[in-house]
Amino acid sequence: VQLVESGGDSVHAGGSLKLSCATAGYHFSSCDMGWFRQAPGKEREGVAAITTGVASRTYYADSVKGRFTISQDNAKNTLYLQMNSLKPEDTAMYYCAAELFVDYRKRLRVNEYTYWGQGTQVTVS
C-alpha cells in the first residue's frame, strides 16, 4: 500500500490549498480514508475522513468544518483535501491515511488507521 501526498505550500492567511493523496497497492474504493495533521510539538490529529463506496460520508474536525472539504476520485485512486480560509493555526504536516474499515465513531482517530503517507507541509502566515 502506497500513499503519496502532495500540494502542500506556504500561503497567507485566508488563502486556499488543495492537497492530493495518490494511492496504489490496494483497492482504493474499498478503504476508508482520512486526512490528519501534526503541528510541531503537538500530537497528530484527525482533520477529515471519508467512507468509500456509493454512499460515501464525510466527517470533519470542528476546527475545520465549513472550511475544508474531503473528496475522492475513484477513477484516479486519489484522495483530496480542499482547504479554504486558511488560518495560521492550520500550519502543520498533513498526512493521508487508509484503513480497510473504520468504525464511524472513530474515523478521526489516528490509531484506527494502518497505512500512512509521508506527509506534505502546509504553512499559513
Side-chain angles (χ1 to χ4, degrees):
V1 177
Q2 291 182 320
L3 306 173
V4 180
E5 303 94 335
S6 62
D9 205 345
S10 295
V11 298
H12 292 300
S16 297
L17 282 175
K18 186 172 185 178
L19 306 183
S20 299
C21 175
T23 72
Y26 69 100
H27 195 219
F28 178 75
S29 62
S30 298
C31 283
D32 293 333
M33 299 197 69
W35 284 99
F36 296 78
R37 66 186 181 187
Q38 187 167 17
K42 295 187 177 181
E43 294 186 353
R44 192 171 299 189
E45 63 175 0
V47 174
I50 187 167
T51 61
T52 57
V54 175
S56 66
R57 296 188 64 181
T58 56
Y59 304 82
Y60 297 94
D62 289 341
S63 58
V64 305
K65 281 182 181 176
R67 300 189 299 122
F68 290 11
T69 303
I70 187 172
S71 63
Q72 62 190 47
D73 185 331
N74 289 338
K76 296 182 178 180
N77 291 344
T78 301
L79 181 73
Y80 301 101
L81 184 68
Q82 177 67 48
M83 306 187 294
N84 299 328
S85 302
L86 283 162
K87 304 175 181 180
E89 51 263 45
D90 294 319
T91 294
M93 185 72 78
Y94 282 72
Y95 301 89
C96 66
E99 183 57 64
L100 184 61
F101 172 76
V102 179
D103 186 296
Y104 76 95
R105 294 165 293 186
K106 304 177 182 179
R107 293 195 188 283
L108 294 179
R109 294 187 185 180
V110 172
N111 58 6
E112 294 296 319
Y113 293 80
T114 301
Y115 306 102
W116 293 84
Q118 83 293 344
T120 186
Q121 178 67 38
V122 172
T123 303
V124 185
S125 60

